[in-house]
Amino acid sequence: MSESVFEPRIVAFLCNWCTYTGADLAGTSRLQYPPNVRIIRLMCSGAVDVSYVLKPLLEGADGVLIGGCHPGDCHYQEGNYKARRRIAILEESLKGMGLDERRVRLRWISASEGALFAETIRRFTDDLRQLGPNPVRTLWTM
Amino acid sequence: MNPDSSALEHTVGAVLVVGAGIGGMQAALDLANSGFKVYLADSGPAIGGTMAQLDKTFPTNDCAMCIMSPKLVETGRHRNVEIMTLAEIESISGRAGDFRVRLRRQPRFVDTAKCTGCGDCAAACPISRPDEFNAGLSQRKAVYKRYPQAIPNAYAIEKRGEAPCRDACPIGQRAMGYVALVRAGRFADAYRTILEDNPFPAVCGRVCNHRCEEACSRAAAGDGAVSIMRLKRFVSDWAAAHPDALPATGPASNLSPAGANGRVAVVGSGPAGLTCAAGLARLGHRVTVFEALPVAGGMMRVGIPAYRLPYAEVQRDVERVLALGVELRLNARVDDAAALLAPSGDFDAVFVAVGAHAGVRLRIPGHDLPDVLLATDFLRQVSLSDPGAAAGAAAGRPSIESRRVLVLGGGNVAIDAAMTAVRLGARWVGMSCLECRAKMPAHDWELRDAQEEGVALFPARTFKEITQQDGRVTGVYTVGIDFRGFVDGRPDFDELPGTEETIPCDTVIFAIGQRPDLSLLRGPAQSGGAGGNGRPVWHAATLAGALPGLFLGGDAVTGTSFVVDAIAAGHRAARSIAAYLQARGAGPAIWPPALAERTPAPVAVLSADEARAQVVSRSQAARAEPARRPAAERRRDFGEVEAGLSEAQAVEEAQRCLECGICSECLQCQYACRAGAIDHEQREQVVELNVGALILTPGLQTVRGDIRPEFGYGVYPNVVTSLEFERMLSASGPYAGQVQRPSDGAHPRKVAFIQCVGSRDLACGQDYCSSICCMYATKEALIAREHDAHIEPSVFYMDIRAFGKGFERYYQRAGDEQGVRYVRSMVSCVKQAPGSRALRVLYATPDGKSAEETFDMVVLSVGLAPAPGTRELAGRLGVSLNRFGFAESPTYAPAETNVPGIFVAGAFAAPKDIPETVIEASCAAAHASRLLAAARGTLTREPSYPPERDISREPPRVGVFVCHCGINIGGVVKVPEVVEYARGLPNVVYAENNLYTCSQDTQERIRQRIEEHGINRVVVASCTPRTHEPLFQDTIRQAGLNAHLFEMANIREQDSWVHRADPDVATAKARDLVTMAVAKAGRLRPLYSQSLDMDHRALVVGGGLAGLTAALAIAGQGFAVSLVEREDVLGGNLRHIYTALPATSLPLESNDSSRSAPQALLASLVERVSREPRIHVYLGAQVIGVAGYVGQYRTTIRFHDGRTEELGHGVAILATGAQPGTPHEYLYGQHPAVITQRELEERLAGPAQDRLELPGKIVMLQCAGSRDAEHPYCSRICCTQAIKNALALKERNAATQITVLYRDIRTYGFRELAYREARAAGVRFLEYSENDKPRVTPAPDGGLRVAVSLQPDGEQMTLDAGWLVLAAGIQPEPGNAALGQMFKVPLSEDGFFLEAHAKLRPLDFAADGLFLAGLAHSPRFIDETIAQANGAAIRAVTLLSRKQLQSAALIAAVNPRLCAACGICVETCPYSARVIDEEKGYARVLEALCQGCGACVAACPNGASYQRGFEFKQVFSMLEAAIG
């Protein structure tokens, strides 16, 4: 990535059953999307700890994506609802911490929505480009 | 019906499940998990059935693939499930417990063990086919995977057989293959395909006798064969003009690197010789070709004139052969073939293919005159003189300028001689022969060409003498004959007196035959030393000659034939000589070795009708005709007469191919596949299986969209079937989830759903209800609106049959809140408005009014029918079908058939939805498991591994294996760079790249590397862990490492495939992903699952039909059961059911009404339970406390007298039933004439039935306790119950006036037939509205008045009723809540128990070890309850049959030092796997119950919880690596 154009770094936590499978389907379908995302597979979006979101943001990642099953589809019954509550609260706290809550995104993407996954990454990357680098990174490198 | 297993002499512990949809998978998994070997056969290339095609499922709108794919993977990887795709039952013998089944398996042409599912083959395939998976809305290739997530994750080739063109060709030229590639504009690929079988495309593109075209199906269709030969010439010409575009590699087949190094001499450089030389050279042998003439090519070069086959074209093909490393010696006549052979000569083998170059002359007077020539000599001299020269004298060429030439002979050679003479400037040329014009051996077109050029024909003549004057020819004296043909090689004719004629000429050319000069076969080479008869010794199959190492072939031994036959001989010689050289190398000379012949493939012959039908969808163009030079021009020189096809002509001509074989066998897939998985030589196989039982789950098909032609399906593009619409909605479907009109891709606004297309329709023979269409239409309407909120769906229906659990709420919400409009109506037709694509739907409302409305799109809710081929399947197995072709089960024995040991489930038994299918599949599995209980565990396989290496004291030593995946990763990601980079990462001690890391040999490599380098953590960077992790885990476990010391980096699906345009960023990302995986790997720890003790007893709560059935099913499999019933008597609600539907209203072919008496059923169950020693019944007892968890439950029950008892059990089935509703309205309980249906049934069939007096008028009122605010669900059974009772009343007294007031009649499935019968019997059905309920008042005569407002127009009607019978519905047990709390299982909104998953786990609770059945689940019929109870039993047996339970490895754990015992985790866990250990003061994980979701970990405020395999340190290490 060249220095002149800002390329955001995105960390994604994807649930094993829906969104990770959807990301695989994007590949199987050869859908192209920006290379800015690094995926970490978890069993369930409900297992996304607050620290999983905070740590990358504090260490300079430009965005964090959490992907889970659509409401009602959770392999573990209601893990995605737990994720939704947790992220909603977290977004509020982020504002208090001076972090931009737009850098955190929770999306429901099913195993058959490869196209939606690709589109989600495109959008998020574009939005983060608009938003610019995570200021934490700049501060720390100073 | 099925014999008890103990009575069988021999029981086989294996089951064959036929049909691998969701039902088949469920049955297979239940059985495999209960200790049986399962063969899961499917007629298609992948498992998954219809459910795989669905976008969403009702009533939860779950993504079908999301919920199904774990089941696919589990089935695919279960070690005791053997998947057999493309398989069909051929025959069966034996008996229940011990069947022998012959299974016919169609070839897949792809080795599933080698296929990596990468799809390179499909990208290379030139053949497109309608994609059945997308309901034909998109195209797929002939090599395809049914859907992206398919299991087996492997491609398959669809082949009807070998195309007739290939079959007709002596060399098996893949004509359809290169034709398909020409059509695709892939001319270089086409050239490669041609060369696969034929080293002489330039020659055969011009002078072949193209038997392929005679066999061409397009010819059968009547509009001329595809011009196959000319397409070959086009490709050859194109290749000549584009030498740089050709692939560097030659043909792939026949290549064998087996260190071949023989020395072979080929005598003769004609097509046979050079083909043989090419074949042997490709194998690595050193070949020298000896040619007596100064030019190579044999007859191709010196026998065929240049105007037909330019010399340069021959030379082009010859040079390609020489380029393989073949040495050519020209002007090198061989006088003694045997002398070439070692030890005296230089060669290990000699192939004599000298052709037949010697002419023959008739010994008639004058035959030896100087101007009498032989055609072979004549043509050879011309061709050797000056290839480029036009007419006119040239050195060595016979001078026949201005002469009168008569050619004697009527074949191709005669024509060639004659037309050559024309070009050399002869003044006059004639031809004479024995045959009449019509029977001349030359092609008719050749003769016409010759005549055009002025050649005179004198057919049907015999030649008596060549007349002369002074030694110069003056003519040929001939006599006309009546020629009848050749007898023993001699002509048979009568001379016709008076037809004598001397044809004047001054030059005669004999063209009456050719023979070989075999003088080079001397002595033993000719006779084998045994004294010959003048003909060479020759073995036609192997081409072996008289001496070891000597081979003969081509015209020299077969007589003159076509080029293609000589090429065939050359191929045969090459194979034979190669085999000879190999055998010789292996030991003493063995001769002749038998040649392994290619197994013939079936030929894909199209009948004339099929061919004509195919033509419709192809190019309609007539056969392409190339430009030809006019006769006047061409007769002046030797320039080529016929031009090649233009590119446009060639492509258009190729489009005329009918693709008879489907797969064109062009081999492009084979070239593309780096894994070597393609095998076109696979053939059909028949395998014999020994199984104890069969379960048939072949599934369904939807009826054809044009079953009601008046709806315009197939005529109007925007009329689609519901299955097509389902695929349109699917994100992975043809429109990527966009709702589009097929006609123009526009987004439709108004969409009409027409219900009951092919259902409830006597006129088209489909008078049953398909059960699921109302719900799937509702679902599709909702999902369509979810995709596009502008869509306005309207559902045209007769009754909405929302009878299942949760369906009514779903339907109500769709109508009330989510914008789906429901129109009760009968649609008469759909018409496309003239000049537009708008569709007019014409319909009639129930009040008889006609209406019309215009829509953008119409979806036909097509009904269900048994899958194709099921009638034949049933016939082969002797299984009875009902009159619609569904499998017939006895009324109270769902899943059984008339054949003991053969069971059915799913839509093959009746149209049904997914949960009912899953339930029935489990039920069938239960029957099989019970039948084969004695053989449980006899055929299953457990894995064996070496002991685990203790790595606890070793520092992390990570080995990294990076996969190229052919070019799938390696074509984008710079794999060597990634490997190099990985070597530098912390803890990495070894890194390498592999072509396919998943291949069998790489597994062995990984094991070796682990040992050599002391690796204790393994990272594989390749594809997705979802499909491949278990494979690699197994590999490292085999190498002595714990399976969890493994991590994967997904650099294919999530890297190379999605960043194809930029190899640099893809490589950078691959480096990051490997870094992350290595970082985590360094922190991995061995993980172990816990073994937990299993109490092999079951508890069944509830002694009604479900409980009794479940208890018997479990006990019948050898496990003890405690059956607890609250009341003092067994039977539950079944005690109050007296009658079944009359047999007349069932679609049965066999009458089993004797088995449909509910009270007899109950008596039998109670009696069997009392005889069953493994069942202990506790009457008058209630559950008051539950402790423990799966495997270790302790449940306390209390009897009426206050006594308590504790029961130990490993599993429990809750079958606590439900209650009949008690109406609070319609004067029930206040007026004696108001009764419930149940009370009516008791009056009609109960003990007091004989004293019953019927009133003359009876009104039945439906939904008096269902589908209202208080009970927002449908009770499912009431409509059928009312109809049953109405029919019974009519039976007693046909004059009784019965009126049924209803909202929707929900007689789903075959129950619809009873509804029809009731209407036929005069029962009146009137619709009322929930918003305007009937009003009941007492009448003075002691009866009642029922005032009803009729729908849809509100017309008021008052009915007199002697009785008013209320459908009171079914209500949940009030005790469910308390019982649910004790077992920690949830209730649904309606108060019934809530299963783990509405679709795929309908019998399980979310908590392990707990199951449910019967009315406790939801309202249902007797047969459905029996299926559920049996199904719940096998679900329980999957646990009971294990010696111990194994917990999962990736589960949560607690650090007690950090735990504050706050209890948040206990509340968070959906599986009740968390408890607070009050004694020790911290939380614990019940490992048997934990499912490993990690929710408790994220919820823990202290960080005391962690999830194994996803520990904080591990995730953080990945994060750090990712952020960099």
Side-chain angles (χ1 to χ4, degrees), chain B residues 1254-1260 1289 1296-1299 1360-1363 1365:
Chain B
L1254 287 186
K1257 292 179 177 176
I1258 295 174
V1259 173
M1260 295 183 172
L1289 288 166
T1296 311
Q1297 278 186 29
I1298 304 170
T1299 305
D1360 293 327
W1363 288 346
V1365 189

Side-chain angles (χ1 to χ4, degrees), chain B residues 442-490:
Chain B
H443 290 122
D444 189 57
W445 58 265
E446 284 182 299
L447 287 163
R448 273 187 280 114
D449 275 6
Q451 284 178 299
E452 268 177 43
E453 293 184 12
V455 175
L457 300 186
F458 302 89
R461 309 196 81 78
T462 181
F463 326 121
K464 300 297 240 186
E465 181 186 352
I466 299 170
T467 57
Q468 60 163 310
Q469 192 171 11
D470 306 329
R472 299 189 70 90
V473 173
T474 58
V476 179
Y477 176 61
T478 67
V479 180
I481 56 169
D482 171 22
F483 179 66
R484 290 183 292 270
F486 289 90
V487 177
D488 296 334
R490 301 189 155 275

Side-chain angles (χ1 to χ4, degrees), chain B residues 5 8 63 107 116 118 140 317 330 339 364 504 564-565 605 655 659 707 974 1034 1082 1176 1296 1305 1321 1379 1429 1498:
Chain B
S5 59
L8 298 175
C63 154
T116 68
C118 71
R140 62 159 170 84
D317 286 345
L330 295 174
I364 55 174
V564 71
D565 296 304
V605 179
Q655 282 167 352
E659 296 180 344
I707 193 167
K974 294 164 190 160
D1034 189 69
H1176 195 291
T1296 311
I1305 290 294
L1379 193 64

Side-chain angles (χ1 to χ4, degrees), chain A residues 9 24 30 32 73 77 82, chain B residues 62 118 1024 1026 1406 1468 1523:
Chain A
R9 291 186 227 176
D24 279 346
R30 310 295 199 274
Q32 305 295 301
D73 279 10
Q77 308 196 33
K82 291 168 184 152
Chain B
D62 270 333
C118 71
T1024 174
R1026 286 177 37 261
T1468 304
I1523 302 165

Side-chain angles (χ1 to χ4, degrees), chain B residues 979-1017:
Chain B
V979 171
E980 200 47 49
Y981 175 81
R983 289 202 177 106
L985 290 171
N987 299 328
V988 172
V989 295
Y990 182 77
E992 69 168 35
N993 51 338
N994 316 108
L995 183 58
Y996 289 104
T997 309
C998 60
S999 70
Q1000 214 49 49
D1001 51 324
T1002 309
Q1003 303 317 296
E1004 185 50 43
R1005 244 181 111 73
I1006 294 175
R1007 282 198 286 274
Q1008 283 172 10
R1009 296 294 174 269
I1010 289 174
E1011 205 164 305
E1012 288 165 17
H1013 298 272
I1015 292 168
N1016 58 24
R1017 311 281 195 287

